[in-house]
Amino acid sequence: DSGVTQTPKHLITATGQRVTLRCSPRSGDLSVYWYQQSLDQGLQFLIQYYNGEERAKGNILERFSAQQFPDLHSELNLSSLELGDSALYFCASSVSSGGAYEQYFGPGTRLTVT
Amino acid sequence: GENVEQHPSTLSVQEGDSAVIKCTYSDSASNYFPWYKQELGKRPQLIIDIRSNVGEKKDQRIAVTLNKTAKHFSLHITETQPEDSAVYFCAASGNRAGGTSYGKLTFGQGTILTVHP
């Protein structure tokens, strides 16, 4: 157990819908990262937040957005869902914002868009 | 941006043999190189990492080497066991603000390791 929690574990929804994925970092970690894992794209970085502020952005679609709240939990919002958005979404946390710190992954949310 | 290439994509060994997985990276600003093990349907689990001021690091049966000049790093698993079977990912990250590798892990494509009893 990494100490990072994610809910829900599974999500099945239809095209065009909107969903929210939730992540709570390890105790003491200020940075939260979101990654998408699909069979054809591998593990892709989406976005990073540090202590409530956006710090780095990857190839995140405009239909996707995220935020980090004062209690440091983070939410990833996916809207106008398409079949291709079906994937495993992981959040990870680390103690700091720089890139040279260990990142610990949560159990992931499996999103299926039908 | 950073690009990480990983080889081989699949690796099959007999129990007790050694396994080696190799990665190359493109961004010279990258200075942190973790390795993750992922079992089917589970989260990536950090198994070992190395920073650019170190050339080699070992933890029991697992070792990682880094060649900064050539921009490549490798994972070595000795005395493999069936429970080592999983997908292994290398990654690279940097801590220079404004650099393309700052604040994010760029992953290799993964290696499916199968250890036969």
Side-chain angles (χ1 to χ4, degrees), chain A residues 1-2 33 35 37 42-45 48 55-58 88 90 97-108 110, chain B residues 31-32 36 38 40-46 49 51 57 89 92-96 101-109:
Chain A
D1 185 3
S2 66
Y33 309 77
Y35 293 88
Q37 185 174 36
L43 267 163
Q44 298 279 323
F45 168 75
Q48 178 206 3
R55 278 300 174 96
K57 223 169 184 176
L88 260 173
F90 288 104
S97 65
Y101 295 91
E102 297 89 344
Q103 292 186 26
Y104 295 93
F105 281 71
R110 181 174 294 281
Chain B
N31 62 354
Y32 174 64
Y36 287 84
Q38 187 178 28
L40 191 61
K42 301 283 184 69
R43 64 183 176 91
Q45 183 180 2
L46 179 66
D49 57 14
R51 289 176 173 78
K57 185 176 178 180
F89 290 95
S93 181
N95 65 354
R96 187 177 73 190
S101 60
Y102 180 80
K104 64 179 182 181
L105 290 174
T106 301
F107 285 88
Q109 298 88 338

Side-chain angles (χ1 to χ4, degrees), chain A residues 1-78:
Chain A
D1 185 3
S2 66
V4 180
T5 61
Q6 288 186 251
T7 57
K9 285 187 179 178
H10 303 278
L11 205 47
I12 301 174
T13 189
T15 54
Q17 295 299 304
R18 172 189 170 95
V19 297
T20 297
L21 313 183
R22 182 187 170 105
C23 166
S24 291
R26 295 187 317 158
S27 176
D29 284 357
L30 299 178
S31 266
V32 170
Y33 309 77
W34 286 97
Y35 293 88
Q36 180 193 57
Q37 185 174 36
S38 59
L39 283 175
D40 56 342
Q41 294 290 322
L43 267 163
Q44 298 279 323
F45 168 75
L46 295 177
I47 197 164
Q48 178 206 3
Y49 278 82
Y50 174 77
N51 205 21
E53 293 186 1
E54 182 185 307
R55 278 300 174 96
K57 223 169 184 176
N59 295 326
I60 187 168
L61 299 171
E62 286 190 10
R63 300 183 286 109
F64 295 2
S65 65
Q67 55 185 324
Q68 187 179 28
F69 295 86
D71 67 352
L72 301 177
H73 91 271
S74 178
E75 293 180 357
L76 179 67
N77 301 295
L78 315 177

Side-chain angles (χ1 to χ4, degrees), chain A residues 78-106:
Chain A
L78 315 177
S79 62
S80 303
L81 285 167
E82 302 174 359
L83 295 177
D85 298 327
S86 296
L88 260 173
Y89 290 85
F90 288 104
C91 109
S93 75
S94 71
V95 65
S96 186
S97 65
Y101 295 91
E102 297 89 344
Q103 292 186 26
Y104 295 93
F105 281 71

Side-chain angles (χ1 to χ4, degrees), chain B residues 5 9 13 24 29-31 36 40-41 43 51 56-57 63 71 82 86 94 96 98 100 102-103 105 111 113:
Chain B
E5 296 287 334
S9 55
V13 300
T24 59
S30 290
N31 62 354
Y36 287 84
L40 191 61
R43 64 183 176 91
R51 289 176 173 78
E56 184 173 355
K57 185 176 178 180
K71 292 184 190 164
R96 187 177 73 190
T100 59
Y102 180 80
L105 290 174
T111 296
L113 173 64

Side-chain angles (χ1 to χ4, degrees), chain B residues 11 13 17-21 61 63 75-80 113 115:
Chain B
L11 181 58
V13 300
D17 288 350
S18 294
V20 180
I21 302 170
R61 298 186 297 109
L75 177 72
H76 305 252
I77 306 174
T78 59
E79 300 172 20
T80 54
L113 173 64
V115 181

